[in-house]
Amino acid sequence: MYRTHTCGELRIENKGQAVTLAGWVQTIRKFGSITFVDLRDRYGITQLLFRENMNQALDENPIGREFVLQVSGAVSERSNKNPDIITGDIEIDVSKYTVLNPSKTPPFTIQDDTDGGDDLRMRYRYLDLRRNAVKKNLELRYRINRIVRNYLDSHGFMDIETPFLIKSTPEGARDFVVPSRMNPGQFYALPQSPQTLKQLLMVSGYDRYYQIVKCFRDEDLRADRQPEFTQIDCEMSFVEQEDILHIFEGMIKEVLKEVKGIEDINPFPRMSWHDAMRDYGNDKPDIRFGMKLVNLEKAAKGKGFKVFDEAELVVAIAVEGCGNYSRKQLDELTDWVKRPQIGMQGLAYVKSHTDHTYKSSFDKFFNEAQLNDIASACGAKPGDLILIMAGKEAKTRKAMSELRLEMGNRLGLRKKEEFKALWVTDFPLFEYSEEDGRWMALHHPFTSPKKEQVALMSQPEHFGEIKANAYDMVLNGNEIGGGSIRIFQKELQEKMFSALGMSREEAQEKFGFLMGAFEYGAPPHGGIAFGFDRLCAILGGSESIRDFIAFPKNNAGRDMMLDAPDQIDNKQLEELQITIVKE
Ligand code: ASP
C-alpha cells in the first residue's frame, strides 16, 4: 500500500495514529536541526516534520522540490497551527521516508501566483496542472459536467457517441481535414459539430439525445477561441421552440443553483434579435446593467451639425453620474473609440450638469433646449454624461455596443458574481455576405424559417426579412448556447440549399444523406448546443476558456507541450499519396 491517507485528509482527531502518505514536495524549510516539508497531492497539503534523528537519512538521501515521496510517521498536534489549510492543526512526525522519484528543479514555482509566463506554463502544462488554481478550474469543470449529465439523464436524454471522421458539417468555419490512407486522395472532415448526425438520430427515433463532445473548427483564433472545444450538444424530437427553451433553461438554472447557490431564479427574459440589436447593439447583450443605446435620429439631426446630419445612424448612451467627467477623461474616451479595434472618427458628448445646464462638444450648433431634447431622449438625469457616435449604421452600432461594455467595466457594473441570463430569439434566417456575394445561413442551413414565412424562401428579394426558429442563450454578455428548430422535410431543405446558392447536384453530393433520411419519416425536431468551456470559464469567474481546458492550444493553434502540429515523415506522406509542394 503506497498510502493510508491523502495529503488533505488528516485532522486533529487522527492524533497519535501511524500513517503513510505519498505526494510531491512543495516546500522545504530548515530550522536549525529540524526540517519542515510541505507534502502535496490532489487533495491538499500536509506538513511533515523531520526531527534531528532524521538528519543523517536526509544527508544520505536528500530531497528537493517536486520529489515524489512516501512518508511514514505519527500524526501529531502542531504547535504552530495554520488555520488557512484544512490539515493545519497537525503534522506528521516522520520516522521513515522513501524517495519514489526525484525531480529536476521545475522551470517555475508550483504555487497560485507562479513566476512562470504563459508560454512556459503551456510547455510544461503537466506541471502547471499541479497548481491549485488550475486544479480548482478542472474540478469545477468536472462538477458542471456531472450536474449537466445528471439533469439530462433525469429528463430522459441518452448520451450517444457520434464519429469524428465524417463529412463536412457547415457551422460557418473551415473544416479540419484528415487524409484517408485507404481511400487515396480523399479526406474526412472533423465535425464542426455533430449537427447532421444528431438530426439523423432523431430520424432513427432517439428522441432525446445529448453528448458532451469535442468540436473542431479551423478559425482564426481571435481572443480566446480554441480549434477544438467542447459542446453540450442536444437534440429532441416532437418539440417546439418553447419545449426546448424550457428544458435547457432548467438545465442552466440547475447549474447556477448547484455551483453558485443561486436559487429562485426568475424565468429568463426573452428578447428578440431585433430588440437586442436596437437596445444593446449586439445579439448577446449583457443585461447586468442598463445604459441602453438610444437612436437620436429625431433629436440630433437637422440642426446644421454635419457629423450628425450626414450620418446613417446617430446613437447615444447615457452614463449615470459621469456628468462631471473632465476634459482629460473625455479625450481619453475619444482616443479609446478611435483605436483601430473600434475604428470611429470621434466621440461627441453632452454633459448634463446637476444645476440643469448642459455642456456639449457641439455647442456651436445646439442651444440649451435642443441639448435638453437629447438628454430626455436618452433618459439622462442631471449629473449624467451622454456619449454620442455617428456614422455608418452597422459600424456605429457595433462601436457603441463596445463603448457601452467598456463604460460598464469602468463603472464596475459587470460584476463577476452576478449572473444574468436571457434568451435571444427570432434571429434572421439569412445574412448577406458582401464578400461572397450571396446569402448565408446565420445559424446553419438546417435551421427552419418561421412557418408563416416559408413562402418567402422562393423570393430572394425578401430573404432579408425571413426570421428563423433560432435562439441563443446569453449569460453575462456571452452567447453560451444556441440552437434552432430544424427543417425536417426534403423539399424545404432543398429550397434552403438553393437559397444559399447551391446547385441541386452540389446539395445532393454534400447533403444527400440527410435529405435521403428525410424521405423515411423524419420527425419534427430541434436542438441546442452549449459552449461547455465558456460556461465553465464564466462560472469560474475567468475571461479565458484556456484556464478550464487541461491541455489547451495557444493563439497560433499550437500545442506547446506536444509541439503540434508537426511535420510527418516521408513514409507517412507516401502512404497517403500526398506530396508537399514547397513555395
Ligand atoms: N450545431 C449548432 C452549433 O454548433 C447548435 C445547434 O443548432 O444545435 O452551433
Side-chain angles (χ1 to χ4, degrees), residues 321-336:
C322 292
N324 56 356
Y325 259 34
S326 65
R327 179 84 229 179
K328 196 164 153 237
Q329 282 172 301
L330 289 162
D331 285 348
E332 195 267 322
L333 269 186
T334 308
D335 288 342
W336 192 89

Side-chain angles (χ1 to χ4, degrees), residues 21-228:
L21 302 184
W24 287 261
V25 172
Q26 169 94 13
T27 55
I28 306 171
R29 300 179 306 277
K30 255 182 135 19
F31 286 103
S33 57
I34 58 171
T35 305
F36 290 107
V37 169
D38 278 349
L39 195 68
R40 179 193 68 235
D41 67 7
R42 184 185 140 192
Y43 307 92
I45 286 181
T46 299
Q47 177 164 295
L48 311 176
L49 167 61
F50 291 78
R51 291 187 192 275
E52 202 169 352
N53 62 346
M54 295 299 293
N55 278 346
Q56 196 186 341
L58 283 174
D59 283 343
E60 284 163 12
N61 216 352
I63 59 177
R65 262 167 56 204
E66 300 308 314
F67 276 42
V68 187
L69 300 190
Q70 185 185 36
V71 183
S72 299
V75 180
S76 61
E77 183 165 358
R78 263 161 88 156
S79 49
N80 218 343
K81 298 205 168 61
N82 180 354
D84 294 335
I85 61 171
I86 42 177
T87 62
D89 286 349
I90 57 101
E91 63 196 0
I92 310 299
D93 200 336
V94 178
S95 51
K96 187 175 161 239
Y97 74 93
T98 314
V99 174
L100 297 175
N101 215 346
S103 168
K104 295 211 286 191
T105 304
F108 50 86
T109 52
I110 312 292
Q111 58 195 29
D112 282 4
D113 41 357
T114 178
D115 47 4
D118 233 31
D119 275 1
L120 199 60
R121 290 196 295 109
M122 289 306 141
R123 176 126 28 101
Y124 295 93
R125 183 65 166 171
Y126 48 88
L127 295 179
D128 196 32
L129 289 171
R130 286 183 190 169
R131 291 169 54 233
N132 205 28
V134 189
K135 187 187 74 192
K136 278 209 296 232
N137 291 346
L138 291 190
E139 283 172 349
L140 174 68
R141 183 182 176 108
Y142 181 62
R143 248 181 94 202
I144 300 174
N145 183 313
R146 301 306 312 163
I147 297 164
V148 164
R149 284 188 189 282
N150 288 341
Y151 179 88
L152 292 173
D153 184 62
S154 71
H155 285 79
F157 285 79
M158 214 170 134
D159 178 350
I160 304 175
E161 287 159 88
T162 51
F164 281 169
L165 298 176
I166 64 165
K167 216 171 149 98
S168 178
T169 47
E171 295 278 2
R174 225 172 271 118
D175 288 322
F176 279 104
V177 294
V178 180
S180 165
R181 180 186 56 81
M182 287 193 283
N183 305 274
Q186 297 192 333
F187 296 80
Y188 301 101
L190 298 180
Q192 293 185 31
S193 84
Q195 184 60 38
T196 47
L197 293 155
K198 66 176 174 175
Q199 291 192 243
L200 292 174
L201 286 171
M202 295 303 113
V203 179
S204 310
Y206 297 90
D207 64 344
R208 289 184 170 210
Y209 143 94
Y210 87 99
Q211 200 180 176
I212 298 187
V213 65
K214 275 286 166 73
C215 301
F216 306 86
R217 297 184 190 176
D218 187 2
E219 301 178 281
D220 293 332
L221 300 178
R222 283 185 277 124
D224 209 26
R225 292 252 181 127
Q226 288 280 312
E228 52 177 307

Side-chain angles (χ1 to χ4, degrees), residues 512-543:
F513 64 95
L514 185 70
M515 290 191 288
F518 285 176
E519 292 184 295
Y520 290 96
H525 61 283
I528 191 165
F530 289 86
F532 185 53
D533 311 290
R534 173 79 50 211
L535 182 61
C536 296
I538 298 172
L539 295 176
S542 166
E543 299 283 306

